[in-house]
Amino acid sequence: MKNHYDVVVIGGGHNGLVNAAYLARAGKKVLVLERRHVLGGAAVTEEVFPGFKFSVCSYVVSLLRPEIIRELDLPRHGLEILPLDGTFTPMLNGDYLWRMNDHARTRREIARHSKLDAEAYYEYGRAMIEMAHFVKPILSMTPPDPTSFNLKGLKDLLFLGRRFQRLPSEDKYNQVQLMTMSAVDFLDQWFETDVLKATMSASGIIGTFLGVRSPGTAYVLLHHYMGEIDGAFRSWGLSRGGTGAISLAIAGAAQEAGAEIRTEAAITQIIVKDGQARGVVLANGDEITADIVSSSVDPRLTFMKMVGPELLPEEFVDDLNRYKYRGSSGKVNLALDALPDFNALPGPGIHLRGAVSISPSVEYMERAYDEAKYGRFSRRPYIDIVIPSLTDPSVAPAGKHVMSCFVQYAPYNLKEGSWDEKRDEFGDTVIDTIAEHAPNIKDIILHRQVLTPLDLEREFGLSEGNIFQGELTLEQLFFLRPAPGWAQYRTPIRNLYLCGSATHPGGGVMGAPGRNAAEKILSDLS
Amino acid sequence: MATSPDIIIIGAGHNGLIAAAYLARAGIKTLVLERRHIVGGSAVTEEIYPGFKVSTLAYSAGPLLNQVAVDLELERHGLEFITPEIRVLALSPDGPSLSLYEDPVRTANELKRFSAADAKIYPEFVESFSRIGRVLAPLESMTPPAIESPTAGELWNLGKVGLQLRGLGKKDAYRLLRWGPMAVADLVAEWFETELLRATVAARGIFGSFAGPWSAGTSSGLLWQAAIDGHAVAPASFVKGGMGGLTRALMEAALKAGAEFRTEAAVERIEINNDRAANVVLAGGEELRARAVVSNADPRTTFLKLIDPLELEPDFLTKIHNFRANGVSAKVNLALSGLPSFKKVDDKANLSGRVHIGPEIDYLERAFDAAKYGDFSPEPYLDITIPSLTDPTLAPPGAHVMSIYVQFAPYKLKDGDWLTRGAELGDTVINQLANYAPDLKHLIVAHQVITPLDLEKIYGLSGGHIFHGEHSLDQFFTFRPLIGWAQYRTPIKGLYLCGAGTHPGGGVTGGPGANASREIIKDFRADRI
């Protein structure tokens, strides 16, 4: 049968591609179907304005699993990670905090704000690396079902318990705090410099509908140290050619292994017969049959749109309805004629080659969140800026630049008005906020692209604009992601699997869900 | 006392009293020292104006562990509970008020006026919390296991809870796992559509906590309170004669068993000799000796005030410093010449439980927002009781006493301090309440404002925290007060903790006192004391 595949993968995002690559390498006949004209999903590079190439959504690399890079031989397929040097936080009083990848310089810089903090920073880093070692194996583990009496599940739970028990007592203390506390409460114990705490805590809230003082945000601080222990590359980096180059490298690996990839192939329906997935129907009416359907799109699209709730157990539908997306971030991409000039550290310089974080104080961060709670975007948002053209000149015309601004908070559900009405106002707010620190910004903008949570939903198929395909909060992690009892990549429909960020270990350009799901599919097949 | 006691207990709060009673009953010679002129700690009845007696601080039992009441024969010692049929009456600024009764069926009927869907689901909601609560409840009277090297008995007890958890069935077991870390605002939204009901149920999850309903993990507060109470909605569990009636009965029980008491005996420090608690030194210089010292004071007071810091490892000290105990609560107590008329409340009997003000989730969250930035809420969350409605002994005929619990009033203010801003807080609360009961101001005979600073200065609660420290997941069970030190023992030999800073935490449950005394008796009998 010409049109029959072992596995059809829905969605050509990085997880779908990773999933396909592993399945193809295992000898399966695999087809990847992507709705858009470009591959990559949210890990995509697009020439939005002539000559200017943007990592439209995801813009930095930190967590891509090293085993995936190795096993799929991604560097041979064109992956090249360029270091992103440090984080620069301008402050409204004219001062700044600039943490670099150079430990000694960072230490001197922090000491300028607080000698105690400079001491603590090193200790903190060491403690975090210890913690990251503890968490790392959990990322590549299929979550056990804690309610089942199945032997494997019990063994996995026991493994986790033992692992925790064997931690030195200091690490146990830290681990418990990390899992339960707020980023700011946790950092308060280590540091006294407000701007340092504000900038560090920002990583705890990215993509969540939580503030830096909300319990549960401390855990994400760990992710920053995960890269360091992997040793394959620095903790933060940019991919040459934009984030899309990662997806293309993975696609290259998948194709080399024999996978077929089609773009502009939107799926309208997953064919289900007798409770079993049999293939998919494309928007043009074509039917493609397959033994297995593996969906990298989020559960709402997979089940509510492509399967249909009537074919699903009622309880599962309830669980899906409870699964929280509520995107909280937007993106503003700017094509620039020149570089922004920051009051706190004027002129061009290597401080612009890293991330520029608009997070001047803990209170600033918390107030940004407060506005979102009551249904409006922050008047002074947290912004994470990178200018990739400084590191990778191939993405902009000579002398010009691209600037990517990740903006939080921008709640999907606005109390007043719609995002279509508010898009420009949102864009202006972001520019105004940056202009407080770099007044020349308004004069150097050639083009601007504003992506609201609604745009993320429409363009990239991210329900409610959640960049992680569902909030990364404790009640939606591990054996609860995406639904209690369905955290093992299987679904209530036989032969239908999930392999996207809505499964363990969640969002970010990690690739782990795609790889874990492939492992599960292959073990079920054998 | 002619000879030295075996054990000195610092603080005659309800946990100290319970520990004293259990220790004395085990034949251990026990002396209780209380700084104030009355026993009871936070569970006291005080006359705020001639003839008007109020439970000045705690106003409802947690509820008290039934085992404690039975073991210590508290009824025989004069304890009498008053349990009105209504648990909570929730007021709305413009709509009808909502009554939540002890009886779920009656409540469901009441809910029909608001939402048929909510009325239909309410009994299942209550039942589901009871089922899950029954699995968690045994933890309350359990000494948290040692994580490093749990004993066989500890593993057995935990295993039993684990098995019961699995016995709940997949649905409830997953509910428990999923709800624990959730924001309580999300939890109530999954069950109900009536905003007033959502807010009233959610408030229990943030009671006493530096958290708003949108803070992650607040559902665990609700789950835990529901577990020790057996009911998802906050209890109206009053004591005849006010909360002092409870602690008086506890004192009677302890006295009967042979414990001795000294009031107005403030402990200034605990002296350590060879890493062992040796003497207790009172303000004024008097030294008292015992074989062991048990502190009912909170962990910060015990380790940072009563002990020379040089006696503790720096690492332990840092962790105690980091034990979070920033209070958010205040009290306003009123002596009233009559019963205020609440708008939209026809049946006065409905005022005899808790009266809740905090009509929307956003209202509660905004109240919390103020605290984050170091100010008290301009529109605070209020939990009101009028105990004289069910206990006429508390006020002259026709008159009433009203206890108003106020949240959020953060211990640390950004502008000014509590010495100067207490009156302003009192006015804010009374004005807010007067929106619901317009004649209130005309009825006030006397009022008392207890700020977080007063909680610290008068009641000895460090940071003004009514639970001796946040009830957050990182300060719960084996982590309370610190991981490795959750078994009521401390790094100082012969020094124990028995207060709300230990498992199972704050609220008038008696759990910490009962659990601690069990461990102390064990050590005593094994000659480790």
Side-chain angles (χ1 to χ4, degrees):
Chain A
M1 232 195 312
K2 186 169 169 283
N3 247 358
H4 186 85
Y5 292 85
D6 293 332
V7 184
V8 165
V9 177
I10 303 177
H14 69 282
N15 276 315
L17 293 167
V18 165
N19 190 248
Y22 277 96
L23 292 170
R25 280 158 51 95
K28 302 296 162 201
K29 191 180 173 203
V30 182
L31 171 67
V32 181
L33 297 169
E34 166 56 41
R35 182 176 51 88
R36 300 189 69 212
H37 61 287
V38 277
L39 282 177
V44 67
T45 306
E46 289 184 71
E47 190 166 333
V48 182
F49 308 106
F52 294 91
K53 292 180 194 137
F54 289 93
S55 299
V56 181
C57 295
S58 173
Y59 57 99
V60 283
V61 200
S62 71
L63 291 168
L64 186 59
R65 304 311 306 142
E67 58 268 27
I68 294 177
I69 298 178
R70 204 169 50 238
E71 287 159 4
L72 300 184
D73 205 358
L74 295 183
R76 192 165 57 78
H77 293 283
L79 178 72
E80 189 183 346
I81 306 285
L82 308 166
L84 184 68
D85 201 12
T87 305
F88 171 72
T89 310
M91 295 156 72
L92 289 164
N93 64 3
D95 199 355
Y96 60 83
L97 174 76
W98 184 12
R99 290 182 296 145
M100 291 148 268
N101 286 347
D102 178 330
H103 286 293
R105 289 182 67 185
T106 300
R107 194 189 164 95
R108 280 201 298 280
E109 165 69 2
I110 295 176
R112 206 165 60 74
H113 295 270
S114 154
K115 290 210 164 56
L116 282 176
D117 283 2
E119 295 294 323
Y121 193 72
Y122 174 72
E123 283 300 316
Y124 173 83
R126 272 176 37 145
M128 284 298 172
I129 287 171
E130 286 305 312
M131 297 296 95
H133 276 296
F134 171 75
V135 171
K136 201 182 148 196
I138 298 173
L139 294 182
S140 45
M141 178 174 180
T142 293
D145 179 350
T147 63
S148 108
F149 285 91
N150 139 341
L151 204 60
K152 169 84 168 60
L154 284 175
K155 238 176 70 187
D156 284 349
L157 283 178
L158 205 64
F159 163 79
L160 290 174
R162 278 277 164 76
R163 234 180 117 67
F164 180 75
Q165 200 191 9
R166 286 195 192 125
L167 280 175
S169 65
E170 191 55 38
D171 292 352
K172 271 194 206 120
Y173 176 76
N174 287 332
Q175 191 65 46
V176 169
Q177 293 202 325
L178 270 179
M179 293 305 292
T180 56
M181 280 170 85
S182 81
V184 167
D185 280 337
F186 185 74
L187 293 168
D188 269 344
Q189 304 184 356
W190 291 86
F191 306 111
E192 58 185 18
T193 308
D194 190 56
V195 62
L196 177 65
K197 287 185 278 191
T199 305
M200 291 173 85
S201 66
S203 60
I205 51 144
I206 287 179
T208 71
F209 209 110
L210 294 171
V212 290
R213 288 194 181 280
S214 305
T217 51
Y219 166 73
V220 190
L221 298 174
L222 254 197
H223 279 194
H224 272 244
Y225 288 86
M226 216 75 93
E228 289 205 9
I229 61 170
D230 289 336
F233 50 86
R234 298 194 192 211
S235 52
W236 285 102
L238 295 170
S239 153
R240 186 183 293 281
T243 309
I246 301 173
S247 305
L248 296 181
I250 302 169
Q255 280 167 323
E256 189 182 81
E260 268 179 66
I261 299 175
R262 275 189 227 164
T263 53
E264 297 183 89
I267 290 164
T268 52
Q269 195 196 331
I270 295 170
I271 305 165
V272 178
K273 275 183 202 144
D274 309 323
Q276 188 168 337
R278 311 265 184 178
V280 294
V281 181
L282 299 184
N284 65 9
D286 286 359
E287 283 191 20
I288 296 170
T289 58
D291 293 340
I292 282 180
V293 176
S294 179
S295 172
S296 73
V297 301
D298 69 39
R300 186 176 292 176
L301 292 180
T302 305
F303 295 106
M304 299 306 189
K305 201 169 153 239
M306 297 177 182
V307 173
E310 65 284 356
L311 296 180
L312 296 161
E314 200 178 323
E315 215 161 278
F316 183 69
V317 173
D318 286 344
D319 285 333
L320 291 181
N321 285 332
R322 284 190 200 111
Y323 184 72
K324 293 185 286 282
Y325 296 91
R326 51 183 180 214
S328 57
S329 50
K331 188 86 192 290
V332 173
N333 294 314
L334 301 175
L336 299 180
D337 200 20
L339 286 170
D341 195 12
F342 284 85
N343 290 337
L345 194 57
I350 51 169
H351 61 290
L352 299 179
R353 296 173 67 106
V356 178
S357 177
I358 306 296
S359 51
S361 71
V362 169
E363 181 167 333
Y364 178 99
M365 300 294 286
E366 191 64 21
R367 290 206 189 267
Y369 166 59
D370 282 350
E371 287 176 302
K373 280 193 304 197
Y374 306 114
R376 57 160 299 154
F377 60 79
S378 317
R379 259 164 288 216
R380 283 292 171 265
Y382 158 62
I383 309 177
D384 191 40
I385 301 168
V386 286
I387 310 173
S389 47
L390 278 172
T391 314
D392 176 9
S394 73
V395 295
K400 317 251 187 249
H401 290 281
V402 293
M403 179 159 144
S404 146
C405 310
F406 171 85
V407 188
Q408 202 161 323
Y409 297 80
Y412 176 78
N413 290 308
L414 289 175
K415 196 160 191 178
E416 282 165 23
S418 71
W419 274 113
D420 282 324
E421 294 157 21
K422 300 265 179 177
R423 185 175 297 103
D424 286 339
E425 193 189 326
F426 175 64
D428 293 345
T429 297
V430 173
I431 305 295
D432 289 344
T433 305
I434 298 172
E436 284 189 339
H437 300 274
N440 75 330
I441 188 77
K442 292 187 180 175
D443 307 324
I444 57 174
I445 297 174
L446 298 172
H447 311 281
R448 98 176 178 189
Q449 178 193 33
V450 179
L451 294 171
T452 69
L454 185 65
D455 300 320
L456 293 177
E457 180 176 75
R458 284 183 189 151
E459 283 294 312
F460 300 94
L462 297 166
S463 292
E464 295 184 26
N466 187 298
I467 59 170
F468 294 144
Q469 289 196 354
E471 278 206 284
L472 288 182
T473 45
L474 276 180
E475 72 268 24
Q476 302 197 152
L477 285 182
F478 206 44
F479 46 66
L480 297 170
R481 193 169 185 89
W486 298 105
Q488 304 188 326
Y489 309 98
R490 298 190 191 109
T491 71
I493 305 286
R494 260 178 297 135
N495 295 350
L496 173 61
Y497 290 78
L498 289 179
C499 68
S501 295
T503 59
H504 174 75
V509 187
M510 233 187 305
R515 182 174 180 268
N516 292 357
E519 224 166 61
K520 193 75 189 174
I521 293 171
L522 290 171
S523 87
D524 282 359
L525 280 175
S526 63
Chain B
M1 201 174 267
T3 53
S4 293
D6 294 321
I7 282 180
I8 287 176
I9 296 181
I10 303 175
H14 73 281
N15 281 310
L17 293 169
I18 288 168
Y22 275 107
L23 291 173
R25 285 160 53 94
I28 300 170
K29 229 171 131 189
T30 305
L31 170 66
V32 184
L33 301 174
E34 168 56 42
R35 189 173 46 86
R36 296 189 73 201
H37 60 286
I38 45 167
V39 303
S42 300
V44 285
T45 306
E46 295 178 85
E47 197 165 30
I48 60 166
Y49 190 76
F52 292 85
K53 292 175 208 144
V54 189
S55 302
T56 40
L57 200 48
Y59 51 98
S60 172
L64 188 75
L65 274 170
N66 190 44
Q67 195 59 47
V68 170
V70 172
D71 286 348
L72 304 182
E73 302 172 283
L74 295 183
E75 272 181 37
R76 203 161 61 78
H77 294 292
L79 176 67
E80 199 180 316
F81 279 111
I82 298 170
T83 313
E85 284 174 20
I86 185 158
R87 285 193 161 227
V88 184
L89 171 73
L91 302 181
S92 158
D94 33 33
S97 56
L98 166 66
S99 305
L100 302 174
Y101 300 99
E102 187 70 35
D103 175 5
V105 178
R106 188 172 171 200
T107 310
N109 266 331
E110 158 90 2
L111 277 168
K112 281 182 189 153
R113 296 195 294 128
F114 294 83
S115 149
D118 288 355
K120 183 156 174 268
I121 201 88
Y122 183 81
E124 192 196 324
F125 167 74
V126 170
E127 183 46 39
S128 150
F129 269 74
S130 304
R131 275 197 312 269
I132 295 173
R134 277 195 291 275
V135 171
L136 295 178
L139 294 175
E140 194 189 2
S141 29
M142 191 187 285
T143 296
I147 292 195
E148 305 275 341
S149 49
T151 64
E154 285 168 358
L155 283 177
W156 170 247
N157 282 335
L158 267 191
K160 273 198 299 195
V161 175
L163 276 179
Q164 276 181 322
L165 176 68
R166 281 158 177 262
L168 269 177
K170 260 188 193 310
K171 190 166 177 175
D172 278 340
Y174 267 124
R175 273 177 172 164
L176 175 60
L177 292 168
R178 204 169 66 84
W179 287 351
M182 251 166 73
V184 72
D186 279 326
L187 177 65
V188 293
E190 285 185 1
W191 285 98
F192 305 118
E193 57 185 26
T194 306
E195 188 65 26
L196 186 58
L197 177 60
R198 285 181 177 181
T200 309
V201 173
R204 198 181 188 190
I206 60 167
F207 188 90
S209 295
F210 199 101
W214 283 113
S215 302
T218 42
S219 293
S220 58
L222 176 59
L223 269 174
W224 180 246
Q225 292 305 319
I228 58 187
D229 173 26
H231 199 296
V233 172
S237 171
F238 304 140
V239 176
K240 182 102 189 262
M243 291 304 283
L246 168 65
T247 39
R248 212 174 312 115
L250 287 170
M251 184 181 173
E252 290 299 324
L255 281 171
K256 188 82 192 297
E260 296 192 27
F261 284 82
R262 281 179 64 177
T263 52
E264 298 184 82
V267 174
E268 202 166 74
R269 63 179 194 276
I270 302 165
E271 285 200 338
I272 317 287
N273 245 338
N274 298 325
D275 291 335
R276 209 186 157 86
N279 291 348
V280 163
V281 183
L282 300 186
E286 186 183 349
E287 290 195 22
L288 298 169
R289 172 179 288 278
R291 288 166 68 184
V293 177
V294 180
S295 174
N296 183 26
D298 64 76
R300 294 173 66 100
T301 302
T302 306
F303 295 112
L304 303 178
K305 280 196 192 141
L306 299 181
I307 291 175
D308 180 351
L310 292 176
E311 300 290 349
L312 296 162
E313 296 284 333
D315 179 56
F316 180 84
L317 265 183
T318 309
K319 287 177 182 159
I320 289 292
H321 271 289
N322 287 336
F323 182 70
R324 281 171 303 125
N326 279 321
V328 289
S329 323
K331 274 292 297 276
V332 175
N333 297 314
L334 303 179
L336 300 172
S337 58
L339 186 66
S341 317
F342 284 86
K343 290 191 274 186
K344 321 248 174 172
V345 179
D346 307 325
D347 185 357
K348 289 201 173 73
N350 283 341
L351 292 168
S352 56
R354 291 169 187 252
V355 178
H356 168 88
I357 293 184
E360 294 169 354
I361 293 288
D362 279 0
Y363 177 106
L364 298 172
E365 186 69 24
R366 283 183 208 277
F368 168 55
D369 285 349
K372 287 193 299 193
Y373 307 116
D375 205 352
F376 59 79
S377 324
E379 297 196 312
Y381 150 44
L382 306 178
D383 190 39
I384 301 153
T385 54
I386 312 170
S388 47
L389 277 171
T390 45
D391 181 359
T393 66
L394 298 173
H400 287 280
V401 286
M402 182 186 266
S403 143
I404 309 168
Y405 169 87
V406 185
Q407 197 171 322
F408 291 80
Y411 175 73
K412 290 180 186 157
L413 285 177
K414 196 168 181 181
D415 297 315
D417 59 37
W418 280 116
L419 289 176
T420 55
R421 298 193 65 191
E424 194 188 326
L425 174 71
D427 292 345
T428 301
V429 169
I430 289 167
N431 286 333
Q432 176 66 348
L433 190 49
N435 291 332
Y436 296 85
D439 60 347
L440 177 76
K441 289 184 191 175
H442 306 295
L443 302 171
I444 298 176
V445 177
H447 79 287
Q448 175 193 35
V449 178
I450 303 175
T451 69
L453 188 67
D454 296 327
L455 293 177
E456 183 172 79
K457 294 271 178 265
I458 302 172
Y459 298 91
L461 298 165
S462 179
H465 204 294
I466 57 168
F467 296 150
H468 288 199
E470 279 290 297
H471 279 176
S472 51
L473 287 175
D474 58 305
Q475 300 190 160
F476 182 70
F477 198 49
T478 38
F479 314 125
R480 192 169 185 88
L482 292 181
I483 186 169
W485 298 107
Q487 300 193 313
Y488 309 96
R489 296 174 186 88
T490 71
I492 310 275
K493 270 181 238 136
L495 175 65
Y496 296 81
L497 294 178
C498 75
T502 61
H503 175 74
V508 186
T509 66
N515 292 348
S517 63
R518 188 175 57 235
E519 295 302 316
I520 297 164
I521 292 168
K522 219 188 277 173
D523 283 2
F524 201 87
R525 295 207 167 131
D527 258 341
R528 285 193 291 259
I529 290 182

